[in-house]
Amino acid sequence: VQLQASGGGLVQAGGSRRLSCVASGKILSLDDMGWYRQVPGKQRELVAKIARGGTINYADSAKGRFSISRDNAKKSVFLQMDNLKPEDTAVYYCNVHGACAIYGPEDTTVCDGEDHWGKGTQVTVSS
């Protein structure tokens, strides 16, 4: 499972940004999909996650401003971020927790409960 995130950039405080992440590979199913963020010197933290069935969890900092959604057919997850604040500045990482996929030359099906990470995308909010 490979994850490719996009949509980061520079935005003014109060503005909006939409992050997208698409999973690739011989994927059969994806469990939780979500977004985490990290600033230098701090641990990576959950922003929002959405289960395959649609259950959503937001960090308190994201409630009321961010909205997560997913498109299972397109193996994608999105994060709409509105009313951005300078403290939202971070590298945002796409995450999949748990996936079933086909690997290797013998097309072996593997279902795991592992965390899969994409390369981060930088979001910078200027004041």
Side-chain angles (χ1 to χ4, degrees), residues 75-96:
K75 302 180 181 63
S76 297
V77 62
F78 310 96
L79 185 68
Q80 176 66 39
M81 304 185 292
D82 298 320
N83 190 21
L84 282 160
K85 304 175 181 180
E87 50 264 42
D88 294 317
T89 295
V91 178
Y92 284 72
Y93 294 90
C94 177
N95 169 269
V96 165

PDB file of all heavy atoms in Angstrom, residues 75-96:
ATOM      1  N   LYS A  75     -10.284   4.870  -3.390  1.00  0.00           N
ATOM      2  CA  LYS A  75      -9.236   4.621  -2.402  1.00  0.00           C
ATOM      3  C   LYS A  75      -8.607   5.942  -1.963  1.00  0.00           C
ATOM      4  O   LYS A  75      -7.372   6.065  -1.875  1.00  0.00           O
ATOM      5  CB  LYS A  75      -8.175   3.664  -2.949  1.00  0.00           C
ATOM      6  CG  LYS A  75      -8.738   2.316  -3.398  1.00  0.00           C
ATOM      7  CD  LYS A  75      -7.657   1.416  -3.921  1.00  0.00           C
ATOM      8  CE  LYS A  75      -8.229   0.088  -4.392  1.00  0.00           C
ATOM      9  NZ  LYS A  75      -9.162   0.222  -5.515  1.00  0.00           N
ATOM     10  N   SER A  76      -9.449   6.906  -1.674  1.00  0.00           N
ATOM     11  CA  SER A  76      -8.973   8.245  -1.365  1.00  0.00           C
ATOM     12  C   SER A  76      -9.579   8.764  -0.071  1.00  0.00           C
ATOM     13  O   SER A  76     -10.695   8.372   0.314  1.00  0.00           O
ATOM     14  CB  SER A  76      -9.320   9.204  -2.500  1.00  0.00           C
ATOM     15  OG  SER A  76      -8.677   8.827  -3.704  1.00  0.00           O
ATOM     16  N   VAL A  77      -8.842   9.656   0.553  1.00  0.00           N
ATOM     17  CA  VAL A  77      -9.331  10.348   1.734  1.00  0.00           C
ATOM     18  C   VAL A  77      -8.990  11.826   1.578  1.00  0.00           C
ATOM     19  O   VAL A  77      -7.971  12.181   0.983  1.00  0.00           O
ATOM     20  CB  VAL A  77      -8.715   9.759   3.028  1.00  0.00           C
ATOM     21  CG1 VAL A  77      -7.206   9.920   3.065  1.00  0.00           C
ATOM     22  CG2 VAL A  77      -9.364  10.360   4.267  1.00  0.00           C
ATOM     23  N   PHE A  78      -9.881  12.668   2.099  1.00  0.00           N
ATOM     24  CA  PHE A  78      -9.751  14.099   1.916  1.00  0.00           C
ATOM     25  C   PHE A  78      -9.875  14.798   3.266  1.00  0.00           C
ATOM     26  O   PHE A  78     -10.565  14.324   4.166  1.00  0.00           O
ATOM     27  CB  PHE A  78     -10.834  14.617   0.971  1.00  0.00           C
ATOM     28  CG  PHE A  78     -10.929  13.843  -0.308  1.00  0.00           C
ATOM     29  CD1 PHE A  78     -11.860  12.824  -0.441  1.00  0.00           C
ATOM     30  CD2 PHE A  78     -10.086  14.119  -1.368  1.00  0.00           C
ATOM     31  CE1 PHE A  78     -11.947  12.090  -1.609  1.00  0.00           C
ATOM     32  CE2 PHE A  78     -10.162  13.394  -2.541  1.00  0.00           C
ATOM     33  CZ  PHE A  78     -11.093  12.372  -2.665  1.00  0.00           C
ATOM     34  N   LEU A  79      -9.232  15.947   3.345  1.00  0.00           N
ATOM     35  CA  LEU A  79      -9.363  16.769   4.544  1.00  0.00           C
ATOM     36  C   LEU A  79      -9.602  18.199   4.106  1.00  0.00           C
ATOM     37  O   LEU A  79      -8.704  18.848   3.543  1.00  0.00           O
ATOM     38  CB  LEU A  79      -8.111  16.686   5.415  1.00  0.00           C
ATOM     39  CG  LEU A  79      -8.208  17.424   6.758  1.00  0.00           C
ATOM     40  CD1 LEU A  79      -9.210  16.714   7.680  1.00  0.00           C
ATOM     41  CD2 LEU A  79      -6.842  17.511   7.440  1.00  0.00           C
ATOM     42  N   GLN A  80     -10.820  18.670   4.339  1.00  0.00           N
ATOM     43  CA  GLN A  80     -11.153  20.065   4.057  1.00  0.00           C
ATOM     44  C   GLN A  80     -10.870  20.865   5.314  1.00  0.00           C
ATOM     45  O   GLN A  80     -11.445  20.588   6.376  1.00  0.00           O
ATOM     46  CB  GLN A  80     -12.624  20.188   3.665  1.00  0.00           C
ATOM     47  CG  GLN A  80     -13.083  21.616   3.441  1.00  0.00           C
ATOM     48  CD  GLN A  80     -12.419  22.269   2.245  1.00  0.00           C
ATOM     49  OE1 GLN A  80     -12.219  21.631   1.215  1.00  0.00           O
ATOM     50  NE2 GLN A  80     -12.057  23.534   2.383  1.00  0.00           N
ATOM     51  N   MET A  81      -9.996  21.830   5.193  1.00  0.00           N
ATOM     52  CA  MET A  81      -9.600  22.637   6.345  1.00  0.00           C
ATOM     53  C   MET A  81     -10.039  24.075   6.114  1.00  0.00           C
ATOM     54  O   MET A  81      -9.616  24.709   5.137  1.00  0.00           O
ATOM     55  CB  MET A  81      -8.080  22.578   6.538  1.00  0.00           C
ATOM     56  CG  MET A  81      -7.537  21.158   6.692  1.00  0.00           C
ATOM     57  SD  MET A  81      -5.780  21.101   7.073  1.00  0.00           S
ATOM     58  CE  MET A  81      -5.092  21.720   5.536  1.00  0.00           C
ATOM     59  N   ASP A  82     -10.889  24.556   6.967  1.00  0.00           N
ATOM     60  CA  ASP A  82     -11.398  25.923   6.877  1.00  0.00           C
ATOM     61  C   ASP A  82     -10.977  26.714   8.106  1.00  0.00           C
ATOM     62  O   ASP A  82     -10.629  26.149   9.140  1.00  0.00           O
ATOM     63  CB  ASP A  82     -12.922  25.908   6.756  1.00  0.00           C
ATOM     64  CG  ASP A  82     -13.402  25.208   5.512  1.00  0.00           C
ATOM     65  OD1 ASP A  82     -12.775  25.388   4.450  1.00  0.00           O
ATOM     66  OD2 ASP A  82     -14.409  24.479   5.585  1.00  0.00           O
ATOM     67  N   ASN A  83     -11.054  28.034   7.978  1.00  0.00           N
ATOM     68  CA  ASN A  83     -10.699  28.921   9.080  1.00  0.00           C
ATOM     69  C   ASN A  83      -9.340  28.526   9.682  1.00  0.00           C
ATOM     70  O   ASN A  83      -9.204  28.364  10.899  1.00  0.00           O
ATOM     71  CB  ASN A  83     -11.788  28.897  10.159  1.00  0.00           C
ATOM     72  CG  ASN A  83     -11.603  29.974  11.203  1.00  0.00           C
ATOM     73  OD1 ASN A  83     -10.921  30.972  10.965  1.00  0.00           O
ATOM     74  ND2 ASN A  83     -12.189  29.767  12.380  1.00  0.00           N
ATOM     75  N   LEU A  84      -8.374  28.393   8.822  1.00  0.00           N
ATOM     76  CA  LEU A  84      -7.062  27.942   9.269  1.00  0.00           C
ATOM     77  C   LEU A  84      -6.392  28.972  10.169  1.00  0.00           C
ATOM     78  O   LEU A  84      -6.585  30.197  10.004  1.00  0.00           O
ATOM     79  CB  LEU A  84      -6.174  27.639   8.062  1.00  0.00           C
ATOM     80  CG  LEU A  84      -6.478  26.285   7.393  1.00  0.00           C
ATOM     81  CD1 LEU A  84      -5.938  26.243   5.969  1.00  0.00           C
ATOM     82  CD2 LEU A  84      -5.900  25.151   8.220  1.00  0.00           C
ATOM     83  N   LYS A  85      -5.620  28.469  11.109  1.00  0.00           N
ATOM     84  CA  LYS A  85      -4.913  29.298  12.066  1.00  0.00           C
ATOM     85  C   LYS A  85      -3.407  29.045  11.958  1.00  0.00           C
ATOM     86  O   LYS A  85      -3.000  27.955  11.524  1.00  0.00           O
ATOM     87  CB  LYS A  85      -5.381  28.967  13.487  1.00  0.00           C
ATOM     88  CG  LYS A  85      -6.871  29.108  13.698  1.00  0.00           C
ATOM     89  CD  LYS A  85      -7.281  28.646  15.096  1.00  0.00           C
ATOM     90  CE  LYS A  85      -8.784  28.761  15.292  1.00  0.00           C
ATOM     91  NZ  LYS A  85      -9.198  28.322  16.652  1.00  0.00           N
ATOM     92  N   PRO A  86      -2.591  29.984  12.355  1.00  0.00           N
ATOM     93  CA  PRO A  86      -1.144  29.760  12.306  1.00  0.00           C
ATOM     94  C   PRO A  86      -0.710  28.494  13.044  1.00  0.00           C
ATOM     95  O   PRO A  86       0.241  27.824  12.615  1.00  0.00           O
ATOM     96  CB  PRO A  86      -0.578  31.021  12.963  1.00  0.00           C
ATOM     97  CG  PRO A  86      -1.585  32.082  12.667  1.00  0.00           C
ATOM     98  CD  PRO A  86      -2.920  31.378  12.739  1.00  0.00           C
ATOM     99  N   GLU A  87      -1.425  28.153  14.098  1.00  0.00           N
ATOM    100  CA  GLU A  87      -1.050  26.945  14.849  1.00  0.00           C
ATOM    101  C   GLU A  87      -1.391  25.651  14.108  1.00  0.00           C
ATOM    102  O   GLU A  87      -1.040  24.561  14.570  1.00  0.00           O
ATOM    103  CB  GLU A  87      -1.711  26.935  16.235  1.00  0.00           C
ATOM    104  CG  GLU A  87      -3.196  27.194  16.242  1.00  0.00           C
ATOM    105  CD  GLU A  87      -3.533  28.654  16.517  1.00  0.00           C
ATOM    106  OE1 GLU A  87      -2.851  29.556  15.959  1.00  0.00           O
ATOM    107  OE2 GLU A  87      -4.494  28.894  17.286  1.00  0.00           O
ATOM    108  N   ASP A  88      -2.060  25.769  12.978  1.00  0.00           N
ATOM    109  CA  ASP A  88      -2.297  24.595  12.133  1.00  0.00           C
ATOM    110  C   ASP A  88      -1.096  24.294  11.236  1.00  0.00           C
ATOM    111  O   ASP A  88      -1.083  23.277  10.537  1.00  0.00           O
ATOM    112  CB  ASP A  88      -3.530  24.802  11.254  1.00  0.00           C
ATOM    113  CG  ASP A  88      -4.817  24.890  12.060  1.00  0.00           C
ATOM    114  OD1 ASP A  88      -4.984  24.090  13.001  1.00  0.00           O
ATOM    115  OD2 ASP A  88      -5.645  25.769  11.742  1.00  0.00           O
ATOM    116  N   THR A  89      -0.128  25.171  11.243  1.00  0.00           N
ATOM    117  CA  THR A  89       1.069  24.959  10.445  1.00  0.00           C
ATOM    118  C   THR A  89       1.763  23.677  10.883  1.00  0.00           C
ATOM    119  O   THR A  89       2.068  23.491  12.061  1.00  0.00           O
ATOM    120  CB  THR A  89       2.035  26.144  10.593  1.00  0.00           C
ATOM    121  OG1 THR A  89       1.421  27.310  10.046  1.00  0.00           O
ATOM    122  CG2 THR A  89       3.347  25.882   9.866  1.00  0.00           C
ATOM    123  N   ALA A  90       1.983  22.785   9.927  1.00  0.00           N
ATOM    124  CA  ALA A  90       2.578  21.488  10.227  1.00  0.00           C
ATOM    125  C   ALA A  90       2.779  20.720   8.926  1.00  0.00           C
ATOM    126  O   ALA A  90       2.295  21.131   7.866  1.00  0.00           O
ATOM    127  CB  ALA A  90       1.672  20.677  11.159  1.00  0.00           C
ATOM    128  N   VAL A  91       3.458  19.608   9.047  1.00  0.00           N
ATOM    129  CA  VAL A  91       3.484  18.632   7.958  1.00  0.00           C
ATOM    130  C   VAL A  91       2.317  17.674   8.201  1.00  0.00           C
ATOM    131  O   VAL A  91       2.193  17.108   9.294  1.00  0.00           O
ATOM    132  CB  VAL A  91       4.814  17.870   7.907  1.00  0.00           C
ATOM    133  CG1 VAL A  91       4.778  16.827   6.791  1.00  0.00           C
ATOM    134  CG2 VAL A  91       5.976  18.835   7.691  1.00  0.00           C
ATOM    135  N   TYR A  92       1.488  17.521   7.222  1.00  0.00           N
ATOM    136  CA  TYR A  92       0.309  16.675   7.333  1.00  0.00           C
ATOM    137  C   TYR A  92       0.579  15.349   6.636  1.00  0.00           C
ATOM    138  O   TYR A  92       1.025  15.322   5.482  1.00  0.00           O
ATOM    139  CB  TYR A  92      -0.902  17.369   6.728  1.00  0.00           C
ATOM    140  CG  TYR A  92      -1.448  18.450   7.630  1.00  0.00           C
ATOM    141  CD1 TYR A  92      -0.751  19.647   7.795  1.00  0.00           C
ATOM    142  CD2 TYR A  92      -2.644  18.281   8.332  1.00  0.00           C
ATOM    143  CE1 TYR A  92      -1.228  20.636   8.647  1.00  0.00           C
ATOM    144  CE2 TYR A  92      -3.129  19.267   9.179  1.00  0.00           C
ATOM    145  CZ  TYR A  92      -2.412  20.440   9.332  1.00  0.00           C
ATOM    146  OH  TYR A  92      -2.881  21.414  10.173  1.00  0.00           O
ATOM    147  N   TYR A  93       0.269  14.261   7.347  1.00  0.00           N
ATOM    148  CA  TYR A  93       0.526  12.918   6.846  1.00  0.00           C
ATOM    149  C   TYR A  93      -0.776  12.154   6.667  1.00  0.00           C
ATOM    150  O   TYR A  93      -1.633  12.134   7.565  1.00  0.00           O
ATOM    151  CB  TYR A  93       1.415  12.143   7.811  1.00  0.00           C
ATOM    152  CG  TYR A  93       2.816  12.686   7.948  1.00  0.00           C
ATOM    153  CD1 TYR A  93       3.120  13.643   8.913  1.00  0.00           C
ATOM    154  CD2 TYR A  93       3.832  12.245   7.112  1.00  0.00           C
ATOM    155  CE1 TYR A  93       4.405  14.139   9.047  1.00  0.00           C
ATOM    156  CE2 TYR A  93       5.120  12.745   7.235  1.00  0.00           C
ATOM    157  CZ  TYR A  93       5.397  13.696   8.204  1.00  0.00           C
ATOM    158  OH  TYR A  93       6.674  14.185   8.328  1.00  0.00           O
ATOM    159  N   CYS A  94      -0.882  11.512   5.543  1.00  0.00           N
ATOM    160  CA  CYS A  94      -1.991  10.603   5.287  1.00  0.00           C
ATOM    161  C   CYS A  94      -1.679   9.252   5.934  1.00  0.00           C
ATOM    162  O   CYS A  94      -0.531   8.793   5.892  1.00  0.00           O
ATOM    163  CB  CYS A  94      -2.155  10.449   3.773  1.00  0.00           C
ATOM    164  SG  CYS A  94      -3.431   9.300   3.266  1.00  0.00           S
ATOM    165  N   ASN A  95      -2.703   8.638   6.490  1.00  0.00           N
ATOM    166  CA  ASN A  95      -2.515   7.359   7.172  1.00  0.00           C
ATOM    167  C   ASN A  95      -3.627   6.380   6.824  1.00  0.00           C
ATOM    168  O   ASN A  95      -4.786   6.764   6.694  1.00  0.00           O
ATOM    169  CB  ASN A  95      -2.495   7.593   8.686  1.00  0.00           C
ATOM    170  CG  ASN A  95      -2.559   6.304   9.503  1.00  0.00           C
ATOM    171  OD1 ASN A  95      -3.639   5.839   9.860  1.00  0.00           O
ATOM    172  ND2 ASN A  95      -1.414   5.738   9.793  1.00  0.00           N
ATOM    173  N   VAL A  96      -3.233   5.151   6.680  1.00  0.00           N
ATOM    174  CA  VAL A  96      -4.182   4.041   6.616  1.00  0.00           C
ATOM    175  C   VAL A  96      -3.814   3.080   7.735  1.00  0.00           C
ATOM    176  O   VAL A  96      -2.655   2.691   7.871  1.00  0.00           O
ATOM    177  CB  VAL A  96      -4.128   3.314   5.262  1.00  0.00           C
ATOM    178  CG1 VAL A  96      -4.840   1.965   5.344  1.00  0.00           C
ATOM    179  CG2 VAL A  96      -4.740   4.165   4.170  1.00  0.00           C
TER     180      VAL A  96
END
